[in-house]
Amino acid sequence: CLFVGKIVAGSSSYDSEASTTATSGKVLVPGGDSSFTTNVLVPGAKPPSSTDQLETSDIVSEDPKVLREVPESSSMVGDTSTEVLDEQEKIAVLPDTREKTDKRTVPPPGAGQRIYDIDPILSSFRQHLDYRYSQYKRMRADIDKFEGGLEKFSRGYEKFGFIRSETGITYREWAPGATRAALIGDFNNWNPNADVMARDEFGVWEIFLPNNADGSSPIPHGSRVKIRMDTPSGLKDSIPAWIKFAVQAPGEIPYNGIYYDPPEEEKYVFKHPQPKKPKSLRIYESHVGMSSTEPKINTYANFRDEMLPRIKKLGYNAVQIMAIQEHSYYASFGYHVTNFFAPSSRFGTPDDLKSLIDKAHELGLLVLMDIVHSHASNNTLDGLNMFDGTDSHYFHSGSRGHHWMWDSRLFNYGSWEVVRYLLSNARWWLDEFKFDGFRFDGVTSMMYTHHGLQMTFTGNYNEYFGFATDVDAVVYLMLVNDMIHGLFPEAVSIGEDVSGMPTFCVPIQDGGVGFDYRLHMAIADKWIELLQKRDEDWRMGDIIHTLTNRRWLEKCISYAESHDQALVGDKTIAFWLMDKDMYDFMALDRPATPLIDRGIALHKMIRLITMALGGEGYLNFMGNEFGHPEWIDFPRGDQHLPNGKVVPGNNNSFDKCRRRFDLGDAEYLRYHGLQEFDRAMHHLEGTYGFMTDIHQYISRKDEGDRVIVFERGNLVFVFNFHWNNSYSDYRIGCHKSGKYKIVLDSDDALFGGFDRLDHNAEYFTFEGWYDDRPRSIMVYAPARTAVVYALVEDKPESAPLKIETTSTLVDDNEPEPEPEDAPEAAAEDDAASELVQS
């Protein structure tokens, strides 16, 4: 793994200055391999590492231990992910001395049988699904019995790591592979003999540091800390697994754990309530570090002050932030996590992040975190890999614990302490930082032992429910969604799954995995596929099928492109469309080329039809709303491979690791028209709520005319993908009678179009069936345009949206009307053109 040499950890700028950290000392590097392994418990059995009795080391229970036999494991279909303990293994249950309670509780499991009513095909896989649900119920029952419930179990950060009390600091770490452990750091001059830890029979190491004589903390805020362990693979200095902050000193490679406990007057205090979950999500996917127009690493404070108002003005109602969890390798885009509980110090302090989130809440924006529980960095210096000197501590041992494509470690979701760690991690970000939900990364890799690699999912249900399914991982996903929705009812849970596993977004009590949304990843792949073909080879039915091919009662987040398509080696939609012409012909003071005209038109059409048909939510990666040119390339040095080959870097340049928002803001550039269209799309959805409207019907997908027509609510969408043909007096079907007006026109001059439509025109319905609709209207459909017509009703709140031809599109201070409630939607039958709710 490569490391970036310099980290920017800017000072806090919310109310007070952040404390500075000391310079780094030398760190010992572990060496050698190990075949040492620790036992892993099957789901439902109590692990040999319970810490229920521990709060602070000056309070020790004298109650006798109560032993229980480990239940035998059943052998069922698809159960390929559990390891059975020896029958002699016993588990210890000790009383919990905790006085602190949380009134929130997670509802008990349901029957888990409704999935068979939702999808009768699942009845053929009842043995697997019932076993899966029984394993989930078994875990819930054992958590209730031995840990006091999921609410307490998910607060592992109050038992492990550094726990401050009135009398001092208790530090605990689960490291069963270590034979000796000591807490070292600036506070004891890195003396490994000063603060030696004690180990219990469950592999939990502990030390209590009393306050100084003057009552001050034994570890000053901002001090560097590590745990030194004698392990089967040698002497090892590790950053505590539950560390809340980690910093890389300038000029050094290893990170240091930082004891982060600022004075009360320096701690950020949240001022604004969290917004309610909207009916439809419009997500702005972002990365704090690369959010500046300048070639540098941006900060939480700058993102708060500069990006959040921009996101709000564009009309999005949620911001999804990548790369929050600390990751030593910047170019990993935040997906090779080293410190799971620590916000990345590149961008500022934990309190800076809290200030950012609070500001977003003030603006009415949800803040979603791109959380990584699918794998971890293989970095042994800074992360969890070989933490206690063993290959099987947090991860599966051997090849099963290594992701060969991502070069990362894979969690053992059948380990009790791993489940505690990950559940507590999700709870930590929701409780401490007030995140409003998560986008879970790499869920497909979690749910299957083949990780989705070299695997094409055809939709055959045997691909989902067989021996390749990692039942432990699926049960963990059920538990984490259970915790999220039980304790944080307004929180949003989104899963990145490319496989299309049935029940993925069905509530847990009904037998599902429990996500609110699935990322509709096939859409972006389809657009990239089409953009490599001639316009004449595009098929309207193919587009419609991809956009609407989703499971009944399972909601989706659609997107035309995300950060994946923006990375070096790939191309954004704008770059596929316009390529090198973007460098010379995006200024309005010079004629556009045919490539630019085509690109501007299709960029808008692709995004609107994706939002309108692709799901119940929509996502865009920052900058793509205005067709950001070029690609993302993180700063990289030359990489020397073991075989002697050298992979050239980019001289550690930040030039392609930023976002040129100035291009979208420049009214003299064509980028501005694309940005204004994106803004108009979101205002239209905010006004009419068409993404979640119960009424959805596709009335035309004409391969000859290259026209797609469909209804969403009281809106009629008309897309003419033909490269030459414009159609006058073009009849389109509609459901309701009355008068229609244009409410969005991609050909508007404000959006870089040719202004071929009269927005003052009124369109009256004709009675009589057309395209299986009871009525119709006659419209003009110019080539390569998307036009939205709204039924004009007497109610003021249903008045059509006026598309202005000036630079001011809408009043940003005017609240968006709340769309009417609608039941959940379903998918289009492949054999029919009617799109039911999904």
Side-chain angles (χ1 to χ4, degrees):
C1 197
L2 298 178
F3 299 90
V4 178
K6 182 163 181 163
I7 299 302
V8 176
S11 62
S12 171
S13 56
Y14 52 92
D15 283 323
S16 59
E17 296 181 357
S19 299
T20 57
T21 58
T23 57
S24 175
K26 296 297 181 183
V27 178
L28 293 180
V29 180
D33 297 327
S34 173
S35 59
F36 183 89
T37 58
T38 56
N39 281 326
V40 180
L41 204 63
V42 295
K46 183 65 178 177
S49 54
S50 170
T51 56
D52 283 353
Q53 78 280 16
L54 304 175
E55 275 307 306
T56 58
S57 61
D58 51 349
I59 303 178
V60 180
S61 172
E62 298 297 333
D63 290 353
K65 300 176 184 177
V66 181
L67 297 180
R68 183 175 76 93
E69 292 286 344
V70 177
E72 296 180 0
S73 174
S74 302
S75 177
M76 297 290 286
V77 176
D79 180 25
T80 63
S81 54
T82 58
E83 299 178 28
V84 184
L85 288 177
D86 188 277
E87 292 181 357
Q88 301 289 324
E89 196 79 48
K90 304 291 185 180
I91 50 178
V93 185
L94 296 163
D96 190 350
T97 59
R98 180 188 311 280
E99 293 184 1
K100 178 180 177 180
T101 59
D102 193 315
K103 294 182 180 179
R104 294 175 293 179
T105 58
V106 180
Q113 298 296 301
R114 187 168 177 261
I115 52 174
Y116 305 116
D117 297 328
I118 295 172
D119 186 352
I121 298 176
L122 294 174
S123 296
S124 299
F125 302 88
R126 183 182 290 270
Q127 185 182 23
H128 176 102
L129 291 166
D130 285 353
Y131 171 70
R132 184 179 83 180
Y133 204 73
S134 71
Q135 290 296 90
Y136 154 73
K137 292 176 71 174
R138 183 181 178 187
M139 281 291 288
R140 281 292 309 269
D142 281 347
I143 289 172
D144 288 346
K145 184 173 184 178
F146 301 116
E147 301 283 357
L150 197 54
E151 191 281 322
K152 284 188 178 181
F153 189 54
S154 61
R155 283 193 271 126
Y157 47 82
E158 295 179 356
K159 293 183 176 182
F160 288 94
F162 294 94
I163 311 301
R164 187 75 167 97
S165 66
E166 292 182 0
T167 56
I169 296 173
T170 302
Y171 169 58
R172 295 191 193 94
E173 199 73 72
W174 176 59
T179 57
R180 183 182 185 274
L183 181 61
I184 57 175
D186 293 328
F187 73 98
N188 64 7
N189 295 318
W190 301 90
N191 182 353
N193 299 314
D195 296 293
V196 178
M197 303 176 70
R199 182 190 193 276
D200 68 13
E201 64 267 43
F202 309 117
V204 176
W205 295 87
E206 176 178 345
I207 189 170
F208 176 73
L209 303 176
N211 287 337
N212 297 324
D214 60 0
S216 61
S217 172
I219 307 178
H221 165 59
S223 295
R224 297 170 299 165
V225 289
K226 286 195 173 183
I227 178 173
R228 174 167 294 182
M229 292 174 285
D230 289 339
T231 77
S233 57
L235 193 64
K236 187 177 190 296
D237 287 358
S238 295
I239 295 176
W242 299 73
I243 199 71
K244 306 305 190 295
F245 197 44
V247 170
Q248 183 186 46
E252 293 192 357
I253 291 178
Y255 274 63
N256 280 288
I258 301 297
Y259 178 72
Y260 193 83
D261 185 22
E264 290 299 321
E265 62 272 14
E266 293 184 14
K267 292 180 181 178
Y268 187 81
V269 178
F270 286 92
K271 305 176 181 67
H272 305 284
Q274 294 177 248
K276 296 292 184 181
K277 180 165 50 179
K279 290 183 173 62
S280 60
L281 278 176
R282 303 191 298 275
I283 302 170
Y284 196 80
E285 185 185 32
S286 57
H287 184 285
V288 171
M290 57 182 293
S291 62
S292 173
T293 58
E294 302 174 20
K296 67 176 185 179
I297 296 178
N298 209 8
T299 65
Y300 296 124
N302 287 342
F303 189 95
R304 176 198 63 204
D305 297 337
E306 299 169 7
M307 282 303 301
L308 290 180
R310 169 183 292 275
I311 295 167
K312 176 65 175 179
K313 186 176 181 181
L314 286 171
Y316 294 83
N317 58 19
V319 54
Q320 177 179 300
I321 307 180
M322 308 169 63
I324 290 295
Q325 294 163 293
E326 189 60 88
H327 48 291
S328 61
Y329 184 35
Y330 189 44
S332 73
F333 230 141
Y335 291 120
H336 281 215
V337 176
T338 45
N339 310 112
F340 281 78
F341 287 81
S344 179
S345 60
R346 289 180 176 88
F347 318 134
T349 68
D351 287 285
D352 287 338
L353 175 58
K354 292 178 181 180
S355 175
L356 181 162
I357 294 170
D358 199 28
K359 179 63 177 180
H361 291 163
E362 181 186 3
L363 295 173
L365 296 171
L366 269 67
V367 186
L368 307 179
M369 177 177 167
D370 196 343
I371 196 168
V372 183
H373 282 181
S374 51
H375 64 133
S377 171
N378 66 3
N379 181 342
T380 58
L381 288 177
D382 308 315
L384 296 180
N385 189 19
M386 302 289 291
F387 182 86
D388 67 349
T390 68
D391 184 52
S392 58
H393 185 200
Y394 282 92
F395 312 105
H396 286 291
S397 61
S399 61
R400 188 178 176 189
H402 293 265
H403 196 293
W404 61 265
M405 179 174 284
W406 295 345
D407 190 25
S408 56
R409 296 304 313 272
L410 299 172
F411 286 107
N412 179 0
Y413 304 101
S415 164
W416 189 274
E417 291 304 327
V418 170
V419 172
R420 184 203 304 274
Y421 184 82
L422 294 176
L423 286 176
S424 299
N425 185 243
R427 173 80 179 269
W428 168 254
W429 296 108
L430 296 173
D431 250 349
E432 182 71 14
F433 290 88
K434 310 301 180 188
F435 277 98
D436 301 292
F438 300 111
R439 177 257 197 198
F440 281 84
D441 175 69
V443 174
T444 303
S445 175
M446 298 173 65
M447 295 193 299
Y448 307 97
T449 55
H450 53 61
H451 312 300
L453 301 175
Q454 300 176 330
M455 171 70 184
T456 300
F457 290 95
T458 65
N460 187 317
Y461 279 37
N462 288 293
E463 297 166 352
Y464 306 120
F465 310 119
F467 289 105
T469 305
D470 189 333
V471 175
D472 288 341
V474 177
V475 168
Y476 165 70
L477 292 171
M478 295 168 73
L479 288 170
V480 74
N481 278 310
D482 222 3
M483 184 274 294
I484 291 170
H485 294 125
L487 302 181
F488 306 88
E490 291 295 318
V492 176
S493 175
I494 304 169
E496 185 198 31
D497 171 41
V498 72
S499 75
M501 176 182 274
T503 75
F504 190 76
C505 294
V506 175
I508 298 164
Q509 62 266 29
D510 296 333
V513 183
F515 285 99
D516 293 314
Y517 297 89
R518 168 191 275 116
L519 281 178
H520 201 335
M521 302 174 69
I523 297 176
D525 294 337
K526 174 56 66 176
W527 289 126
I528 297 302
E529 175 191 323
L530 291 176
L531 290 172
Q532 298 176 69
K533 297 180 178 181
R534 302 178 308 156
D535 290 8
E536 294 88 334
D537 297 327
W538 290 27
R539 294 291 174 262
M540 303 300 101
D542 188 25
I543 294 172
I544 292 295
H545 173 75
T546 301
L547 290 171
T548 60
N549 184 26
R550 52 190 189 269
R551 298 191 181 280
W552 184 48
L553 292 180
E554 298 196 39
K555 295 186 289 186
C556 288
I557 301 290
S558 66
Y559 59 95
E561 55 186 337
S562 68
H563 66 274
D564 291 326
Q565 287 73 38
L567 286 170
V568 62
D570 206 338
K571 290 183 178 181
T572 62
I573 287 177
F575 220 52
W576 275 110
L577 288 167
M578 296 177 278
D579 206 58
K580 61 182 187 328
D581 280 20
M582 297 182 75
Y583 295 115
D584 298 313
F585 300 100
M586 292 298 281
L588 292 174
D589 62 355
R590 66 182 66 182
T593 65
L595 202 62
I596 293 294
D597 284 339
R598 172 181 179 269
I600 294 289
L602 288 179
H603 192 275
K604 292 177 286 186
M605 296 179 71
I606 287 171
R607 303 178 90 74
L608 180 58
I609 198 170
T610 298
M611 171 185 270
L613 276 184
E616 293 71 37
Y618 178 79
L619 177 143
N620 167 68
F621 179 67
M622 61 177 186
N624 288 347
E625 68 273 10
F626 61 83
H628 198 290
E630 297 185 320
W631 52 86
I632 298 168
D633 192 9
F634 284 87
R636 296 177 288 112
D638 294 343
Q639 184 179 4
H640 297 268
L641 301 180
N643 59 10
K645 292 184 178 180
V646 178
V647 179
N650 61 8
N651 199 27
N652 290 312
S653 171
F654 284 86
D655 184 62
K656 298 292 190 297
C657 195
R658 54 175 172 156
R659 296 277 89 181
R660 293 291 305 276
F661 296 109
D662 53 313
L663 300 176
D665 293 341
E667 297 185 11
Y668 57 86
L669 297 177
R670 290 184 168 88
Y671 297 106
H672 184 68
L674 296 178
Q675 180 169 283
E676 288 300 299
F677 182 76
D678 192 80
R679 186 179 172 198
M681 278 196 334
H682 288 279
H683 183 76
L684 182 75
E685 209 291 320
T687 301
Y688 290 95
F690 58 82
M691 283 199 295
T692 54
D693 198 292
I694 186 174
H695 179 67
Q696 308 173 64
Y697 193 93
I698 298 169
S699 59
R700 173 167 293 204
K701 39 187 177 183
D702 193 311
E703 301 294 352
D705 292 347
R706 297 295 201 276
V707 170
I708 294 173
V709 181
F710 57 89
E711 303 164 17
R712 298 296 300 263
N714 285 345
L715 301 181
V716 180
F717 293 76
V718 181
F719 288 82
N720 180 5
F721 280 95
H722 205 285
W723 49 97
N724 283 327
N725 294 350
S726 298
Y727 306 106
S728 58
D729 295 329
Y730 195 76
R731 185 181 296 273
I732 61 171
C734 61
H735 178 62
K736 293 186 177 181
S737 63
K739 178 175 66 176
Y740 288 80
K741 295 199 69 173
I742 293 174
V743 290
L744 184 61
D745 170 19
S746 70
D747 200 44
D748 194 309
L750 173 64
F751 310 139
F754 295 100
D755 216 13
R756 288 169 283 184
L757 289 167
D758 180 6
H759 296 166
N760 294 316
E762 298 176 335
Y763 303 85
F764 293 89
T765 56
F766 298 89
E767 295 296 319
W769 287 87
Y770 188 81
D771 281 349
D772 289 327
R773 311 310 290 146
R775 298 166 187 86
S776 60
I777 56 176
M778 306 283 281
V779 302
Y780 175 43
R784 285 190 181 134
T785 60
V787 184
V788 185
Y789 299 86
L791 180 68
V792 179
E793 297 181 326
D794 295 333
K795 298 177 182 179
E797 62 270 22
S798 298
L801 168 69
K802 182 179 180 182
I803 301 298
E804 302 288 350
T805 55
T806 66
S807 59
T808 302
L809 179 65
V810 294
D811 181 4
D812 294 313
N813 295 318
E814 183 178 348
E816 295 178 352
E818 191 73 23
E820 295 181 0
D821 290 338
E824 308 228 320
E828 181 199 20
D829 188 331
D830 292 341
S833 62
E834 181 171 6
L835 177 65
V836 295
Q837 189 177 8
S838 72

